[in-house]
Amino acid sequence: MRAWLVNISLVDGWFPATLFSITTVLAAILLGIAIWEMVGGSRGGGKRAIAVVACPMVIAVIAGIVGLVIAWLLSDVFVVFGVELGPRVIAWAGCGCAIIGFAVSHAMLHRGVLRAVAVILVVCAVFSTATGIDQAYGEYATIGSLFGQDAYREADLTGMAKRSDLISVTQWRQEAADGSISDIPAHGEVSKVNIPATTSHFEARKALVYLPPAALATAKHKPALPVILMMSGQPGSPGRVFAAGGIQTMMDDYAQHHDGLAPIVIAADQLGDDSHNTLCVDSPVYGKALTYLTKDVVDWVKANLPAAQQAQDWAIAGFSQGATCSLQIGANHPDLFGTIIPTGSELKPTNGSESSMISRFFHGDRTAYEKQIPINAIRNHAPSNQTLVIGAGEHDHESVRNVELIAPVAQQEGMHVTAVESLGNAHDWHAVQDTLRYGLVVFGYNTGLSDAKPKLADYPNLKRITI
């Protein structure tokens, strides 16, 4: 029962459809009764009936306009949340306020059953608006994710693979073509694991690990698979990466078309807590987040999972704060990561004012801070042969501008760059999915999982950003 509740989807399926339907039906009932009263179907008639209809409608229009204006001011003028909310979120805010205003006015004008219906409509409108906004972001995929809960099983993957038993993905593909491998599972598995912070002592939450079907097959030799290290935004968590990012579905779909092959995906915790913005650096504030990611996590994966060892077979990716981290870490560590896939990145790590941040996180050393700015990191390690697939939502104007500033520098310094915007999306996980889906194809081609050369034209929801 608990697992069923935790896994109820908030972004599609029966729950949001039912919630939206109930809200619509209740609003239609109140509107229909008001119109019936206006045409003389109940006592009072005349002026009172007109008021019963006109008052809620006028209040609804005013409340809707107020909701739209406030959301627009918070989003695009004052940028209270650090990013633009996007037109879908602003539209939901206006629509929700309009329905709530409509319902509240009905509750004030009626008694008995109609007042009860109006009160229920207020509650439904609030939840419908919240669900609609969540759908626009794709942030909370399930009811469980609202409370930091998930249904992923904990597992001990220590020593899962021995280096001597691994073969190349080319050999695996040849054996699959020859029919030597026939027990490839239909789906991969996601497990919750504890990656020891042996060197960093960073207080990280448990990571999530996706193992593709090829890693789970009972064949004597497993392929040495490419790896994607993935990070959430802030606030965020490893669970959010998988639930909101749709990682398992995306990777399973890729594996079904590639003999069970897909990258291993590691959603590691770069925050330690939802409220922490570590900047993905070693600091006296939150500990050694950078060492945890680049030493503890990387070493553990290479030692315990059927993972490739070379930098060209590793990618680092992320959303928002995690995107900034992926850029600064990837560019600063070409010895670890051959591919970088950020979505919605900032131009530089940010936590409070610049002077305060440098003082708190970098012991007052501005030079140390400057090295973490992605554009500086790219230039400091040029020339680079890394691959960069960098994206942003079409309506996330600031992130699009950031892409337009970062991508040309990366290309000039030797990186193989594709810059894209996700059409119809903003600073949300839908944009992440679009960018990562194409980045996966690029990464798969570069690491030998597929011979099909990536074509951006095959992804109609992505538009190339000219650099």
Side-chain angles (χ1 to χ4, degrees), residues 55-103:
C55 183
M57 294 302 295
V58 170
I59 291 176
V61 171
I62 294 174
I65 292 174
V66 170
L68 284 171
V69 171
I70 290 176
W72 172 74
L73 288 172
L74 293 176
S75 168
D76 295 5
V77 178
F78 300 111
V79 198
V80 171
F81 306 103
V83 294
E84 295 160 290
L85 299 177
R88 282 187 292 178
V89 173
I90 294 174
W92 268 110
C95 182
C97 287
I99 297 175
I100 292 169
F102 178 75

Side-chain angles (χ1 to χ4, degrees), residues 153 157 160 172 183-191 210-219 222-223 225 252 260 306:
R153 67 179 182 87
L157 301 180
M160 174 189 174
W172 176 272
D183 63 340
I184 303 174
H187 304 284
E189 290 185 359
V190 178
S191 301
Y210 168 81
L211 294 172
L216 305 173
T218 57
K222 298 183 186 298
L225 294 163
D252 277 352

Side-chain angles (χ1 to χ4, degrees), residues 1-9 14 142-145 149-153:
M1 179 64 179
R2 178 183 176 276
W4 173 81
L5 183 63
V6 165
N7 285 318
I8 292 176
S9 175
W14 68 269
T142 63
I143 288 179
S145 65
Q149 300 295 314
D150 58 59
Y152 301 117
R153 67 179 182 87

Side-chain angles (χ1 to χ4, degrees), residues 202-205 232-237 269-280 283 285-287 289 321-322 325 350-351 360-361:
F202 178 68
E203 295 183 4
R205 293 166 291 185
S232 71
Q234 191 274 324
S237 67
D269 182 23
Q270 84 278 18
L271 304 174
D273 185 271
D274 273 10
S275 63
H276 295 173
N277 180 357
T278 64
L279 305 180
C280 290
S283 78
V285 184
Y286 295 120
Q321 188 264 5
C325 289
T350 304
N351 189 331
R360 294 175 63 222
F361 285 84

Side-chain angles (χ1 to χ4, degrees), residues 139-175:
E139 183 73 15
Y140 297 97
T142 63
I143 288 179
S145 65
L146 288 170
F147 307 98
Q149 300 295 314
D150 58 59
Y152 301 117
R153 67 179 182 87
E154 294 193 21
D156 184 2
L157 301 180
T158 304
M160 174 189 174
K162 296 179 180 179
R163 300 266 70 79
S164 58
D165 291 336
L166 298 183
I167 59 176
S168 69
V169 293
T170 301
Q171 290 173 297
W172 176 272
R173 292 175 61 193
Q174 184 60 54
E175 290 187 11

